[in-house]
Amino acid sequence: ETRTEVLASLDFREKNGYTRTVEEAFSRDGKPLGCVAVYRATPENPQYAGPASPRTLGGYIAGCSGPSGPNPDYVFRLAEALKLITPEDATADRHAEAVSQACRAAIGS
């Protein structure tokens, strides 16, 4: 897929009130890695959960589905991908991992 096709697919998937921005990514030691697309929900989004614990988010996500399939599958793949990106740090993204575990608990897997 081309960059344009990937962004079009992501824009469709994240169409429910998420805003795409471009941000600079940095390594753990502060070195710039380049720009990345980030989708954010803002308080203006009717689906915005606001500040919530991983348990609350996991429970909510467990019952959601979108045009790309069940949201729990997305959360599980995200947590795993973040681990693969930084294999030297098994807790690459503690928040994503905590939400993934809470989601698994909520659906009983």
Side-chain angles (χ1 to χ4, degrees):
E1 290 180 291
T2 67
R3 178 180 186 267
T4 302
E5 291 168 331
V6 169
L7 286 174
S9 175
L10 289 170
D11 286 345
F12 178 76
R13 185 184 74 199
E14 305 299 344
K15 68 183 176 180
N16 195 16
Y18 293 90
T19 302
R20 176 171 34 118
T21 61
V22 176
E23 308 289 337
E24 182 138 12
F26 295 89
S27 66
R28 291 198 182 273
D29 60 1
K31 293 179 184 162
L33 298 173
C35 293
V36 296
V38 176
Y39 289 83
R40 288 194 176 105
T42 63
E44 294 78 29
N45 176 347
Q47 302 299 318
Y48 181 66
S53 71
R55 182 176 180 204
T56 299
L57 291 171
Y60 176 75
I61 291 166
C64 293
S65 186
S68 298
N71 289 17
D73 292 347
Y74 173 80
V75 170
F76 302 151
R77 288 193 313 264
L78 174 63
E80 287 302 314
L82 291 170
K83 287 180 194 173
L84 291 173
I85 290 170
T86 55
E88 71 282 355
D89 183 358
T91 57
D93 189 314
R94 287 180 178 92
H95 180 72
E97 184 60 30
V99 172
S100 175
Q101 289 175 3
C103 193
R104 285 187 191 283
I107 61 175
S109 71

